[in-house]
Amino acid sequence: MKCYEECPPCPVFLPKKIKKCGHTIQVPCHLFYDVTPCTEPCEKLLSCGHECSRKCGESCTMECFVKIPFISSVCGHEVNVECSKSKNVEFFMIRCNEPCGTELPCGHKCSGSCGSCYQGRLHVICKKPCNRRLVCGHDCKSLCSRNCPPCEQPCENYCVHKKCTKKCGEPCEKCTKPCEWSCPHKKCTRLCGELCDRSVCNEPCPKVLKCEHPCIGVCGELCPAECRICDSEKLAEVCFAGETEADAKFVCLEGCRHIFELNWFNMWFSQENRGKNEFRFRTCPTCKTVIRKTSHLERNIESWFNNVEKIKKAISGNEDYNENLREILRQRIRDKYRKSPFGFEIPPCTFYAGWIKLKECLESEKERNIQDLIKIENVMNIMNIWSSYFSKQRSELLRTFSRLKDYIELTEKLEEYININEKWLETFISKRYLIASEQQLKDLTWEVHRLKLIDELGKFMMEVKSKDIHLNKLLDLALTYSPFREAELTKFISELQNMCECVPNKLINISELQNQPALTVMSFSVGHWFLCEKGHAYSAVQCRDLLQKTIAMNVTRRLFM
């Protein structure tokens, strides 16, 4: 530097011994006499026995970050966690990476881990292809976790005049040409798209095969290629009891071309329909191909197709119905409003974040289909039920347990259990309420049912107020981090019944304890649609809507009488 310029601080490092700890560190010469914190690793031991991870001159950490394998108190698996979190139940609950592998109701194995599935209480969504049979007869190509949407495959419906060119899930246009189902004995007088007014003709087919032998089919239907004389051995195989009667007639299914003896086929079809109210297409007994066109079943097939068209319209919904349901859901949220300095808004409550998310979703301008709205409704019901069981009675329930000397520890366990479950459930609902699968919503209802039983147990204790009643076994059955399903429910009710036998004049409503919150599901798959006694297709959603309308009409009628 030049002589007139100010000299910079000395950059030479010198060894300096820290009196407080005895360590020697290197410091710049110009800072030698300043108070310098020690930069050596801290050698102190924490309460757990591990060394502090900070510098010697810093305050010792209160948390130990050394990872150690622990046996989880939640699931029993070995989990590598930080030493300071070895007693944190919530941390263990989500940290376990052991593969879940549970077989889900859809038949696929769960791809999640023990932690991501909350120990099997709330499985991750299944990402395998669905492949469930839809009411149209095709297999669903969507993800297994979704409620089956309307079929995207080309429609296979056809008549003698034309073939439908729409997607299978879209309502077909009815053919307006005269029906051509006729034979020398009977003729339909209605339009092609209407239900035929003629019955099946059981007369023998008058046609002659290429081999110049008589046709073995039925009048007015597709002629089988087989001959009674030339193919006698083959016909014996498809005949009932393996014997071919001289005048036996055969039905040939269009599409797969399999043939069946007429009497056997009629008997099989009547047995298939007997006592079954689940709506589904009938399939070929041999190859399971959907029977879409066979004159012998024409009236049945037309009835099925008419029902499928109604189902398509119900799944698609309409603007008026969707907007009406959306307004009902908005009103349910408005019912939670309370007056505040900023106007009317949702007050702090259980699942507050979830209610806010649902409010924003319903008030947005984005159009929602019927399946989205029903899913939102299900989530609302789950949040309402959960809140009703533990928001109002929680403090009273905990006070009841804490007053009993033997249950102070259980009271703390119960409060911790409720807090942990509310936290992860609120996180799940507020983030995944629109993508939650039907299986996940069912899992949530089981968790709600578990809390319902705990709530009923608390009410029982408040009524009995006896120190001779020991709840440990019952609470151990309910306050677990493992799945709570039918088997656990049966054990719980059995133990509760045994406990009630010790209390004079105390009865419990078993059916009430067994009842679970019902989910509303709108899906295009088989299993969600049923047939009434008159052959009309209906779903649980339509039953609910009809019930609500009936109740409203009865209330109105009483008001104006």
Side-chain angles (χ1 to χ4, degrees), residues 214-278:
C215 176
I216 60 173
V218 183
C219 180
E221 298 191 19
L222 181 67
C223 293
E226 291 78 6
C227 171
R228 192 186 311 277
I229 298 172
C230 303
D231 303 299
S232 57
E233 293 183 2
K234 184 176 180 180
L235 293 180
E237 294 176 1
V238 299
C239 275
F240 184 68
E243 297 181 0
T244 309
E245 297 181 4
D247 59 346
K249 295 186 285 290
F250 293 81
V251 176
C252 182
L253 301 182
E254 296 186 30
C256 64
R257 298 278 176 165
H258 284 120
I259 63 170
F260 303 94
E261 195 272 328
L262 180 61
N263 293 329
W264 181 91
F265 186 76
N266 288 335
M267 182 177 64
W268 167 82
F269 185 77
S270 62
Q271 288 177 345
E272 280 288 297
N273 288 334
R274 187 179 301 159
K276 295 181 180 179
N277 68 336
E278 185 179 270

Side-chain angles (χ1 to χ4, degrees), residues 148-204:
C148 296
C151 183
E152 292 289 325
Q153 296 190 48
C155 184
E156 295 184 21
N157 295 342
Y158 65 94
C159 65
V160 294
H161 306 108
K162 63 177 182 178
K163 185 181 185 302
C164 182
T165 57
K166 294 185 176 182
K167 290 182 179 179
C168 187
E170 298 175 349
C172 299
E173 293 181 1
K174 289 188 176 182
C175 180
T176 56
K177 294 185 178 181
C179 180
E180 296 189 10
W181 185 27
S182 63
C183 70
H185 311 98
K186 297 181 180 182
K187 177 177 174 61
C188 177
T189 60
R190 293 182 177 176
L191 297 179
C192 185
E194 297 176 338
L195 191 64
C196 290
D197 60 358
R198 58 155 284 184
S199 59
V200 175
C201 180
N202 288 319
E203 295 295 324

Side-chain angles (χ1 to χ4, degrees), residues 549-561:
K549 288 179 181 178
T550 304
I551 293 172
M553 289 173 63
N554 290 337
V555 170
T556 306
R557 193 178 293 116
R558 286 197 298 270
L559 288 174
F560 290 95
M561 283 181 66

Side-chain angles (χ1 to χ4, degrees), residues 382-528:
I382 290 172
M383 291 196 297
N384 269 332
I385 295 168
W386 186 288
S387 301
S388 66
Y389 286 140
F390 268 103
S391 290
K392 296 177 182 178
Q393 292 95 354
R394 176 190 295 184
S395 56
E396 188 176 358
L397 178 64
L398 294 175
R399 279 199 304 271
T400 301
F401 283 134
S402 61
R403 282 198 297 267
L404 300 174
K405 184 179 179 181
D406 298 334
Y407 296 115
I408 295 176
E409 186 178 341
L410 277 175
T411 304
E412 295 174 355
K413 181 180 177 182
L414 176 61
E415 188 165 18
E416 179 189 38
Y417 184 85
I418 297 169
N419 290 335
I420 288 174
N421 278 279
E422 277 188 351
K423 188 181 294 184
W424 70 262
L425 279 169
E426 182 164 16
T427 301
F428 175 84
I429 287 173
S430 60
K431 291 183 178 180
R432 305 182 191 176
Y433 63 95
L434 270 183
I435 61 173
S437 66
E438 181 184 344
Q439 175 59 40
Q440 287 179 320
L441 293 178
K442 286 181 180 177
D443 289 343
L444 287 178
T445 60
W446 271 110
E447 289 304 306
V448 170
H449 197 66
R450 185 203 301 256
L451 286 187
K452 173 183 176 180
L453 297 177
I454 298 172
D455 182 57
E456 291 296 327
L457 190 58
K459 292 176 182 177
F460 176 83
M461 285 302 301
M462 284 185 270
E463 292 175 10
V464 176
K465 296 180 181 179
S466 172
K467 295 182 180 180
D468 297 328
I469 303 298
H470 298 287
L471 298 176
N472 300 59
K473 195 168 184 179
L474 278 168
L475 287 174
D476 286 343
L477 281 171
L479 298 182
T480 65
Y481 294 93
S482 55
F484 190 86
R485 299 294 184 265
E486 287 87 354
E488 290 75 21
L489 175 62
T490 303
K491 288 181 183 178
F492 185 94
I493 293 176
S494 176
E495 285 296 327
L496 186 58
Q497 284 178 308
N498 293 336
M499 190 172 67
C500 286
E501 291 177 359
C502 304
V503 182
N505 302 321
K506 180 60 183 175
L507 299 175
I508 57 173
N509 190 338
I510 300 298
S511 60
E512 178 63 26
L513 295 180
Q514 291 174 332
N515 286 338
Q516 280 189 274
L519 287 177
T520 303
V521 179
M522 180 71 84
S523 176
F524 202 63
S525 63
V526 170
H528 291 94

